[in-house]
Amino acid sequence: MNVVGLTPIIPILFAFALPLTSIIVRGNRKLIQGYALLGTGLTLLSAFKLFQLAYSSNKPLIYTFGGWAAPVGIIYEVDKLSSLMALVTAFLMFVIAIYSYRYLEHDSGLEWYYTLYLGLEAGLLGVLLTGDAFNLFVMIEVTSIAAYALVMFYRDRGDSICAGLKYAFIGAIGTTMYFLALGAFYYAFGTVNMANLSALIHGMSFPVVGSAWGDVVIASGVALALATWAFLIKAAIFPNHFWLPEAHPAAPSPISAVLSGLVVNVGAYSLLRFLYTVYGGVSGNLAQVVSLLSTIAIALGAVSAMFGAIMMLVQRDVKRLIAYSTVMHMGYLFMAIGLGTKLGLEAALFHMVNHAIAKALLFLAAGAFIHEVGSRTIEDLAGLGRKMPVTTFALGIATLSLVGVPPFNVFFSKLLLFNALMERSFGLALVLVLSSVTALVAYVRVFYEVWLGRPRREVEAREKASMSAVLLVLAVVCIALGLVAPYVIDHYITPAASQTVNWKLYVQTAVEYASKLKLP
């Protein structure tokens, strides 16, 4: 098995074996933690090797399950975009696993937490690496089920159970809509392999399924409408955002970081893959269908950005405030993706990376405060910052970064976003600016209260070494990515965007493998 297939296999194998392992080690917390770090660490190494291979290759990498090429079998087709996102995902999952141990030091069920955590990582990597639309559905389900259960980790808390059930209900609606979209794709095209779909849409030849079976335009309109709505739900875009501000605060803070930094990317990445890889460069009636859906994505993204920013102003729960920040930033991503331009794609990709890191840092910093005081209310955190300088430093870096203050990383992705939106409309760029200023006001209120506020009660706060180390690492990454942003854009973001818009290369790579398929 090559590194393409190995990367998502590692965490799922570790997840399946963990319940048995926990029995063997008799629930020893340190051994369970070491096991989880081994699983996430090996996954990170595999993702890094995959990243190196993808960026050293002139075409996407392919792994065929069971040796069956597309469209008969399921393939993983990994380009620079998916390898970069897989590396970011594996890195964050590893450092958050380190943070989790101390955060959950007073909670039982650590073995089940890490079982779900590793399953969540496997699902996320599967979403990013797959080249099959049906396998994408399976990986979204794996991700979602693990996420639902992790939101409900605190089984004795009513808000956790209610939030998790609401998340599960709306998430199930989303995955059902996407499953119906797959039916429309298969009915018209006779395949759900992404490269095969793209080939049929663009009139290219492909082994086995060489021609469409039905009306391509109607089927595409129905399928894309259903799939887009499902992705709007997964990404918490208005008006499908309502599950997120309850689910993310109710989960343990490490899981909040994963949900807001990585899980919501599933919707944005999936839409991006369909619009640029499968339907990129279409013409005629199909172009009108794609243009309409792109316009809807831009409009709902703009509404989400402003709505999320405004809702941040009225929150007393610090994690709900950060959750609404996620709604805002996902709005930015959908606006950029909907543009359909290479610059818009570059902006979306770079912002996806930067937001994941900075938002994870923000949730983890807030989680460190919550861990000490036992409350999510902003007023209850008053004055705590003076006793926890490392955590306060991390909180400051994360807030300055997410607002878009130079020289931190998110500033440069917001600059790309601004330029890309200006090409389309001054009004869209204005949405970016106004929402960022509004968010700044909300963040300043939190930071002021944490640093200069008068404590409601005396708290014996002490920073945990492992949690502080993770915060410092992520803070340094935010600063470093900002300082070397031009280099990162030129050497990693632009090549990834260029390869993503090159749908011909994506199809031809799959065809090379499919042509080797021997049928009786």
Side-chain angles (χ1 to χ4, degrees), residues 49-94:
K49 181 61 177 179
L50 179 60
F51 170 79
Q52 289 182 315
L53 290 174
Y55 271 84
S56 61
S57 174
N58 293 323
K59 59 184 180 180
L61 309 174
I62 290 203
Y63 175 74
T64 59
F65 283 87
W68 291 96
V72 176
I74 292 174
I75 68 168
Y76 276 8
E77 186 162 1
V78 182
D79 56 11
K80 291 180 172 65
L81 165 64
S82 51
S83 68
L84 175 59
M85 291 308 304
L87 177 61
V88 172
T89 298
F91 167 70
L92 288 176
M93 294 297 286
F94 176 68

Side-chain angles (χ1 to χ4, degrees), residues 196-495:
N196 200 173
L197 287 171
S198 186
L200 296 179
I201 288 165
H202 293 94
M204 297 176 64
S205 61
F206 204 97
V208 185
V209 183
S211 61
W213 297 355
D215 191 307
V216 170
V217 175
I218 294 176
S220 295
V222 172
L224 285 177
L226 289 168
T228 300
W229 199 255
F231 300 150
L232 290 170
I233 292 173
K234 294 299 177 183
I237 297 295
F238 181 91
N240 300 311
H241 68 282
F242 56 87
W243 59 267
L244 185 146
E246 294 189 25
H248 290 203
S253 292
I255 300 307
S256 300
V258 174
L259 293 173
S260 273
L262 299 173
V263 173
V264 290
N265 283 345
V266 166
Y269 174 85
S270 300
L271 179 64
L272 182 158
R273 187 58 78 188
F274 272 98
L275 291 184
Y276 288 86
T277 301
V278 179
Y279 283 90
V282 293
S283 58
N285 292 332
L286 271 179
Q288 295 179 7
V289 172
V290 173
S291 176
L292 176 60
L293 287 171
S294 298
T295 301
I296 292 172
I298 292 172
L300 292 179
V303 173
S304 293
M306 287 306 304
F307 177 79
I310 292 170
M311 289 301 292
M312 289 175 66
L313 295 174
V314 297
Q315 302 305 315
R316 296 180 63 245
D317 182 328
V318 66
K319 289 179 72 174
R320 282 180 68 89
L321 184 149
I322 300 172
Y324 274 111
S325 168
T326 299
V327 174
M328 178 182 72
H329 282 274
M330 294 311 296
Y332 296 160
L333 287 180
F334 270 67
M335 290 165 67
I337 292 169
L339 294 174
T341 62
K342 185 171 178 290
L343 181 58
L345 179 58
E346 290 179 7
L349 175 55
F350 196 32
H351 194 67
M352 206 180 297
V353 172
N354 287 332
H355 173 256
I357 296 169
K359 183 56 62 69
L361 175 60
L362 184 58
F363 257 121
L364 296 180
F369 288 126
I370 294 168
H371 183 264
E372 294 304 308
V373 79
S375 172
R376 303 197 308 254
T377 305
I378 295 173
E379 290 77 8
D380 290 340
L381 306 181
L384 204 58
R386 296 192 292 273
K387 299 180 179 181
M388 303 175 66
V390 173
T391 307
T392 304
F393 170 75
L395 182 72
I397 295 296
T399 53
L400 290 173
S401 177
L402 286 166
V403 167
V405 175
F408 302 108
N409 58 335
V410 177
F411 166 77
F412 292 96
S413 57
K414 279 194 172 183
L415 184 61
L416 279 181
L417 285 167
F418 181 84
N419 292 334
L421 294 172
M422 277 293 290
E423 287 185 347
R424 177 71 172 261
S425 165
F426 171 75
L428 294 177
L430 186 62
V431 168
L432 175 68
V433 174
L434 290 177
S435 58
S436 295
V437 172
T438 305
L440 174 61
V441 175
Y443 282 134
V444 167
R445 177 170 67 92
V446 174
F447 196 81
Y448 177 86
E449 195 71 30
V450 170
W451 181 247
L452 298 174
R454 178 178 298 177
R456 286 188 172 185
R457 56 189 174 89
E458 201 61 33
V459 177
E460 286 290 335
R462 188 178 66 178
E463 294 181 308
K464 306 297 187 295
S466 59
M467 294 168 65
S468 296
V470 169
L471 294 178
L472 285 175
V473 167
L474 291 178
V476 169
V477 171
C478 286
I479 297 169
L481 274 177
L483 295 177
V484 300
Y487 178 86
V488 172
I489 292 170
D490 289 342
H491 290 79
Y492 299 105
I493 302 302
T494 299

